[in-house]
Every structure is written in C-alpha cells, then in structure tokens.
Amino acid sequence: MNMSSRETTHSVTHFILLGFSSSPEMQLLYFGLFSAAYILTLMGNTAIVCAVRWDQRLHTPMYIFLGNFSFLEICYVTTTVPNMLANFLSSSKSISFMSCFAQFYFFFSFGCDEGFYLCIMAFDRSLAICRPLHYPRIMTKELYTGLVIFGWSGGFILFVTPVVLVSRLPFCSPNIIDHFICDPVPLMMLSCSEDNTTQLIYSIFNVIFMIGTFLFILCSYALVILAVLRMPSAASKRKAFSTCASHLAVVILFFGSVMMMYISPGSGHPVKMQKFITLFYSVITPLCNPLIYSLRNKKMKAALMKVLGLDNMLIKYK
C-alpha cells in the first residue's frame, strides 16, 4: 500500500449507516416494532438463563449449554439492535470509525460463538443418544466446562484476523454504508481500491468456518437419527426426536441465512435482500430461539413457569 492510500485510510473518521430509508413516520413504526422485538428477545433468553440457573433439575450439560447459548443470544443482539434503534430516531445516523469496527468485531465474534455452541450442543446430544451408558463418564464437569469456555472464546480469537484485514483497507468518501450495521460486505465495497486478496481471505475464512461447523452438526444428527431408529421403544424415539427437532430448527434458521449472505460476499445480493437476510439472523432468529427450545421441552416449560411464577397461579386456580 502506498503513502497516499495510507493517508486515505485515516481520512474517514466516521460512517453513515443508512439503515431502512423511509419517511419519519415509518422510522417511528420501525422503532416501535424493533424495540418490541428486542425487549421480547431479552425477556425470552433471560428467562431461559434464569431457569437453568435456579432450577436444580436443569443442572445438566444439555441445559447448561442451552443457558450459555441464550446468554450469548442476549450479547449478540445487544451489539447491533440498540444502535439501530438510536438511528431510527437520529437524523445524522453516524457511527465513528472505531465504534463501527468494534461493532463489526463483537457482532461477528458472537456470531461465530453461536456456530460453535450449536456444534457443542449437537455433539452433546449425539453423545447422549448414541452412547447413553458411557455419557456420564465422558461428559464430565471438566469436559463441559472446557466446551463452555471454548464456545465463548473461539469466535473472539478467530475473528481478529478478518477485522484487522478489513480495517486496514483504504477508505475514502463517500463514507455511506447502505445497511443498518457495520457489515463487512458493504464495508469492503467502500474501499478506495479493490483488494481482491482481502476478499478472498475473508471468503475462505467464512467457507471453512460455516461449512465446517454445518457439516459437523449434520454428521452429529445423522448419527443421532441412526441411533434413534434402532431404539425399540416408541416413547424413547419420540423423546429423542423431540429434543433434536428443536436443535435442528435453530441450526437451519441460523446457518441457512448466514450461508446465503457470507459465503460469497462478492456475489452481489440486492441491498434490500442483504438487509432482510441480516435482519433475519440478527433479530428474528434470537427472538424465535426461546420459543423453539421451550415449546418442545417439558422440563424447560416447567422451569420457565416456575421462574415466571405461573406454576403457583395454575395451582391456585385449580
């Protein structure tokens, strides 16, 4: 990179996030809708975290992983949604260079961590169903504690390289990002020079991470399905399929949208489509996850009713 391009890199001190361009009335409507979605996401995932923390029956690896996953969802949406809500009420819609890349780093680090946690949860279920007699001996406290730590730290370690690479690109005017978050795809499009090397490295990174984690999850659940089909009891089959169905639903929601968006960042998705896909996996999926995990799980439903105080009300009315 020559001296002029280095100077250009530092000439941009902030970016403008256009978000969802519309009339002031529509901006207020969006603010109301996404505020409600954010509050419901926080409430749903916090309820699961509290249920796992306070109900002794849920102090098992499966629910400990689920509790951490729900807390991760809270962190994930909080990296972007509050800023998006503020922009609905703002006329400038600006974000500083450092804040933009901080959002980029934390949002995608938590996103990677979600992928790792989905792998961990798939591994846990495959081990519990395929090797039920050996499960307590293999899934020790040391192992699941190590998996929890890996699930939280893996994304933060991996995503240092992509963030550094994109942040070192030369940026110049216009500094307008036609998105509601500091997404790497429009950021790379704002670069003064087309850096094919950075795009290639970023694409390879995404392909390896997403395809690798997705295949691991598919293989884990393929083993689960084979084990379930060999079970003699119909009740055992229903219980196993019920547990895995909720996990698979979350996997499909998360990986389906993310793969469509990031495996080929140069594929040229329409801007509106990019925003919708990002909105789906960054806001809608975290909102749906508590419902998916609780509706098909009797223990979790009972624990949530206890946390929310609904069990006493049901007993009282009976």
Side-chain angles (χ1 to χ4, degrees):
M1 186 184 295
N2 57 32
M3 185 59 68
S4 62
S5 65
R6 285 180 182 275
E7 292 172 358
T8 308
T9 304
H10 298 286
S11 68
V12 173
T13 58
H14 68 281
F15 296 100
I16 306 296
L17 292 171
L18 288 183
F20 300 94
S21 300
S22 59
S23 64
E25 292 78 14
M26 286 301 296
Q27 293 283 307
L28 286 174
L29 177 61
Y30 289 149
F31 177 81
L33 289 174
F34 290 120
S35 293
Y38 181 55
I39 291 167
L40 289 172
T41 300
L42 294 183
M43 289 173 61
N45 285 288
T46 301
I48 289 179
V49 172
C50 292
V52 173
R53 177 69 182 85
W54 294 336
D55 195 317
Q56 293 289 331
R57 294 172 299 175
L58 303 186
H59 289 185
T60 60
M62 183 181 86
Y63 293 106
I64 289 170
F65 295 143
L66 178 56
N68 276 272
F69 184 76
S70 293
F71 187 53
L72 182 59
E73 292 277 48
I74 294 170
C75 299
Y76 184 56
V77 294
T78 302
T79 58
T80 57
V81 175
N83 185 73
M84 180 175 69
L85 294 175
N87 281 346
F88 284 134
L89 305 178
S90 170
S91 57
S92 64
K93 302 183 187 298
S94 66
I95 184 170
S96 70
F97 186 92
M98 291 298 295
S99 297
C100 184
F101 278 91
Q103 185 190 73
F104 173 14
Y105 176 63
F106 283 102
F107 179 67
F108 287 94
S109 294
F110 284 131
C112 278
D113 286 341
E114 285 207 10
F116 287 135
Y117 259 103
L118 289 171
C119 286
I120 290 167
M121 292 161 77
F123 168 71
D124 175 68
R125 288 303 82 206
S126 65
L127 193 63
I129 293 171
C130 299
R131 305 286 297 277
L133 298 179
H134 301 281
Y135 179 79
R137 182 172 55 84
I138 298 172
M139 189 57 73
T140 60
K141 185 177 181 180
E142 291 76 17
L143 178 58
Y144 71 71
T145 302
L147 289 172
V148 166
I149 294 169
F150 170 74
W152 278 99
S153 61
F156 285 92
I157 295 168
L158 280 179
F159 237 86
V160 169
T161 301
V163 171
V164 169
L165 285 174
V166 177
S167 67
R168 290 174 65 85
L169 292 173
F171 295 102
C172 53
S173 295
N175 59 342
I176 298 171
I177 301 174
D178 194 0
H179 215 300
F180 61 89
I181 65 170
C182 288
D183 189 275
V185 177
L187 271 173
M188 285 189 282
M189 291 171 65
L190 284 181
S191 176
C192 301
S193 61
E194 189 173 350
D195 192 332
N196 292 323
T197 304
T198 298
Q199 288 192 14
L200 179 63
I201 292 171
Y202 182 73
S203 293
I204 291 171
F205 175 87
N206 284 334
V207 168
I208 292 173
F209 169 76
M210 283 186 276
I211 298 296
T213 50
F214 189 62
L215 286 178
F216 180 88
I217 292 168
L218 285 183
C219 290
S220 297
Y221 284 117
L223 293 174
V224 167
I225 290 169
L226 290 174
V228 169
L229 291 175
R230 289 196 294 264
M231 289 179 178
S233 168
S236 299
K237 287 182 180 179
R238 281 195 299 271
K239 183 179 178 181
F241 273 128
S242 178
T243 303
C244 295
S246 58
H247 290 200
L248 279 172
V250 174
V251 168
I252 292 167
L253 283 175
F254 179 75
F255 278 98
S257 55
V258 171
M259 282 181 176
M260 190 185 301
M261 186 72 180
Y262 293 109
I263 285 185
S264 54
S267 60
H269 295 297
V271 173
K272 287 186 178 179
M273 180 62 74
Q274 290 181 21
K275 292 179 185 180
F276 176 77
I277 296 170
T278 306
L279 187 68
F280 189 84
Y281 69 76
S282 64
V283 179
I284 297 173
T285 301
L287 174 64
C288 295
N289 285 351
L291 291 172
I292 293 170
Y293 280 117
S294 61
L295 288 177
R296 299 184 64 88
N297 191 304
K298 290 181 180 179
K299 281 187 180 180
M300 180 56 70
K301 280 195 286 188
L304 287 172
M305 290 179 71
K306 187 177 179 181
V307 167
L308 298 173
L310 297 177
D311 56 339
N312 292 328
M313 290 178 62
L314 288 174
I315 293 170
K316 182 180 177 181
Y317 282 111
K318 285 180 179 179

